[in-house]
Amino acid sequence: MPETVSAATASPLTNLSEDEILFRDNIRQFAEEKLRPLVKEMDEKGVFDKGLVQDFFQLGLMGIEIPEQFGGSGGRFFEAILAVEELSRVDASAGVIVDVHNTLVNNAFLRWANAEQKKRFLPRMAADTCGAYALSEAGSGSDAFALQTKAELKGSDYILNGRKLWITNAKEAGLFILFATVDPSAGYKGITAFIVEKDFPGFTVGKKEDKLGIRASSTCELILEDCKVPQSNVLGEVGKGYKIAIETLNEGRIGIAAQMLGVARGAWEYACKYAQERKQLGKAISEFQGIQFQIAQMGTEIEAARLMVYNAARMKDAGMPFVKEAAMAKLFASQVAERVTSLAIEIYGGYGFTKDYPVEKYWRDAKIGKIYEGTSNMQLATIAKLVLGK
Ligand SMILES: Cc1cc2nc3c(=O)[nH]c(=O)nc-3n(C[C@H](O)[C@H](O)[C@H](O)COP(=O)(O)OP(=O)(O)OC[C@H]3O[C@@H](n4cnc5c(N)ncnc54)[C@H](O)[C@@H]3O)c2cc1C
C-alpha cells in the first residue's frame, strides 16, 4: 500500500463521514441516557447490568464488522473503535465488553472461521451470544505461549484440561475463543484455537475477580475438566493458534487504546465542567491560570492519543501494516488516561478523592490500560523490535 494519498482524497484523521457521525451520536445518546444512570451502582456491586448487554445487541454494537448476510452491520473496524471510545467515555466496563466481543472474538471468526463455522456462529454473535477470549493462565501472561491447557484428540472430539485466568466477559459470554496446546513439546507450534460454548460438558466459569477498576466488567477463571470440544470447533488450523492470538491481539490493542481515550475524555469533560463551577477566592477555579494550563495540557494529550488511535484504526481498515502504530496507540493512550484521570481528581480537590464524585472511578478504570492485551513493557518491546528491525 502506498503511504501517501493524493491531496484530493487526504482528509483530517478526526474527520468523520456522515455515517460515522450518525453512528457515534447514537451511541453517545444511548450512553448518556441508558448507561450513565447505572454506572455508579454497577461499579459498587461489581456487576454489569444484563439489560445493557441486550441493548448492545439491539443497537447493532455486537456485530459491527459482521457482514449483513449473517445479521451484522457490515461496518468497518473504525466504527468498532468509535463505539468503544464513546461507551468508555461514560463507562470503561461497557467499553471493554463491546471491545472484546468485536475486536477479538468477532475478528477471529471473520478471519479464521471456515464457511460452515461462519454460518453457524456469526448470526449468534451478532444477535444474542456474547463472546470472550481466553488466552491467559496463572503462569502465562506476557509469555502467553507458555500456556498449559491441553487438548487431546479422542475420536471426533478434543478433550480439554486446564485453567484460564483473567477472562473478560466470562460471566456474560455464551462462547469462548479458547487457546490450548495439542502438543506441549511443540512449544508455540502446538497452540490451537477452539470455539468453546458455555454449556459444553466439563466447562465451568470459576471465581470472579474483585478488582480495582472496570469493576462491572466480569473477569473470571475458566475451568476445563475433560471438556469435550468437537473437532469441527477448531478455529483455523491445528497448531496455528499462536498466529490467531498474535494477529487478533494486534487489532484488539487499538480497541484498548480507544477505551483509554474514552476514559481520558470522560474524566477531562468532568474536570472542565467542575473547574467552571467551583469557586475559590471569589472566582471560578477555571479563572486561575494554573488550572487553565492543566486543562489545556490534558486536552492536548487527549487529542494526540485520539490521532494515534484513529490513525491505527484507519490503517487497519486500509489494509496497511499497523502493528507498530497499534502498539504505540495503546502505550500512549493508556499513559494519557492515567495522567488525565489523576489530574481530574486534583482539579476536583478533596471532592475528587471521594466516591460521591465521578472522577476517582475514571482513575481506577484507567489503570488496566497498561496491563491487559499486553503490558506497557510488551508494547515497548514490540515497538522497539519494529523500529530497530530486530
Ligand atoms: C482485568 C483484566 C482483564 C483481562 N482480560 C483478559 C482476557 O479477556 N483474556 C485473556 O486471555 N487475558 C486477559 N487478561 C490477562 C492480561 O492480558 C495479563 O494480565 C497481561 O497480559 C499480563 O500478564 P500477567 O498478569 O501474567 O503479568 P506478567 O506477564 O507476569 O508481567 C508482570 C510484569 O513483568 C513485566 N514483564 C513480563 N515480561 C517482560 C519482558 N519480557 N520484558 C519486560 N517486562 C516484562 C510486565 O510488563 C509486568 O510489568 C486480563 C487481565 C486483567 C487484569
Side-chain angles (χ1 to χ4, degrees):
M1 282 296 289
E3 271 186 47
T4 53
V5 290
S6 73
T9 54
S11 79
L13 273 176
T14 49
N15 219 17
L16 303 185
S17 70
E18 264 178 46
D19 284 351
E20 288 166 349
I21 291 172
L22 194 67
F23 180 77
R24 183 203 59 192
D25 289 352
N26 277 342
I27 301 169
R28 194 172 284 177
Q29 188 182 353
F30 165 80
E32 288 298 343
E33 290 174 5
K34 294 271 183 70
L35 177 59
R36 202 182 290 279
L38 301 176
V39 170
K40 192 169 189 314
E41 192 186 339
M42 293 196 300
D43 179 61
E44 280 165 5
K45 290 189 174 157
V47 178
F48 201 79
D49 186 88
K50 282 199 179 86
L52 286 175
V53 180
Q54 283 168 11
D55 290 340
F56 294 158
F57 280 106
Q58 270 161 19
L59 286 168
L61 297 185
M62 300 300 253
I64 295 172
E65 287 182 89
I66 293 178
E68 286 172 16
Q69 70 179 112
F70 298 115
S73 308
R76 289 176 311 138
F77 183 73
F78 186 74
E79 281 154 43
I81 292 310
L82 281 181
V84 174
E85 179 192 350
E86 282 306 317
L87 291 171
S88 303
R89 171 181 163 263
V90 174
D91 180 35
S93 292
V96 78
I97 291 176
V98 169
D99 174 65
V100 167
H101 183 92
N102 282 280
T103 74
L104 295 182
V105 181
N106 288 351
N107 254 337
F109 273 118
L110 289 169
R111 288 200 54 190
W112 284 282
N114 58 36
E116 180 275 327
Q117 289 169 337
K118 282 186 180 163
K119 209 168 137 206
R120 195 155 44 111
F121 294 110
L122 285 180
R124 290 174 54 196
M125 303 315 290
D128 56 16
T129 306
C130 184
Y133 185 88
L135 178 64
S136 303
E137 297 181 3
S140 64
S142 301
D143 187 10
F145 299 148
L147 61 82
Q148 298 289 310
T149 299
K150 288 185 190 65
E152 204 183 336
L153 187 60
K154 283 195 177 153
S156 61
D157 294 315
Y158 276 94
I159 305 299
L160 270 56
N161 278 289
R163 280 168 186 245
K164 294 286 170 187
L165 202 62
W166 313 119
I167 307 310
T168 299
N169 289 359
K171 284 276 176 210
E172 294 79 17
L175 186 149
F176 300 74
I177 305 281
L178 190 145
F179 296 84
T181 177
V182 293
D183 180 4
S185 69
Y188 73 92
K189 288 184 179 160
I191 293 169
T192 304
F194 294 90
I195 304 162
V196 178
E197 300 221 36
K198 185 174 75 176
D199 56 4
F200 278 2
F203 178 83
T204 321
V205 175
K207 180 178 154 268
K208 180 168 160 285
E209 305 296 339
D210 186 5
K211 307 193 297 294
L212 169 77
I214 55 164
R215 289 179 48 76
S217 154
S218 65
T219 311
C220 307
E221 187 180 25
L222 305 180
I223 302 154
L224 299 121
E225 287 171 332
D226 289 332
C227 174
K228 228 184 194 186
V229 181
Q231 213 175 343
S232 59
N233 276 27
V234 169
L235 183 67
E237 285 174 53
V238 173
K240 290 283 170 63
Y242 71 95
K243 197 169 153 55
I244 297 179
I246 290 173
E247 295 189 11
T248 42
L249 286 169
N250 283 339
E251 297 177 17
R253 255 161 224 147
I254 310 175
I256 300 304
Q259 183 198 29
M260 291 297 114
L261 170 61
V263 166
R265 266 182 60 210
W268 184 61
E269 287 172 14
Y270 270 118
C272 290
K273 191 161 174 282
Y274 184 81
Q276 291 169 77
E277 288 165 5
R278 172 70 173 169
K279 290 203 168 57
Q280 287 292 280
L281 306 170
K283 47 178 145 172
I285 60 169
S286 62
E287 299 286 317
F288 301 124
Q289 197 181 52
I291 296 283
Q292 289 171 1
F293 282 9
Q294 283 177 320
I295 283 174
Q297 179 70 32
M298 291 153 91
T300 306
E301 293 195 21
I302 290 169
E303 185 64 8
R306 176 184 288 115
L307 294 174
M308 292 176 79
V309 174
Y310 285 15
N311 191 45
R314 292 205 194 276
M315 286 175 83
K316 196 248 159 214
D317 276 333
M320 298 169 76
F322 64 89
V323 175
K324 184 181 71 186
E325 288 74 11
M328 287 176 165
K330 179 182 182 280
L331 176 78
F332 186 70
S334 59
Q335 292 170 347
V336 168
E338 204 174 283
R339 277 197 295 271
V340 166
T341 55
S342 175
L343 267 175
I345 294 178
E346 291 173 37
I347 287 174
Y348 267 71
Y351 298 104
F353 201 63
T354 72
K355 288 188 184 288
D356 293 335
Y357 289 83
V359 281
E360 62 84 33
K361 174 180 176 290
Y362 282 98
W363 183 62
R364 288 187 284 108
D365 287 350
K367 190 69 232 180
I368 192 60
K370 290 185 173 179
I371 298 171
Y372 59 13
E373 296 203 27
T375 65
S376 288
N377 274 359
M378 301 320 285
Q379 305 310 318
L380 287 166
T382 300
I383 297 161
K385 201 159 99 186
L386 291 165
V387 169
L388 298 170
K390 301 233 180 256

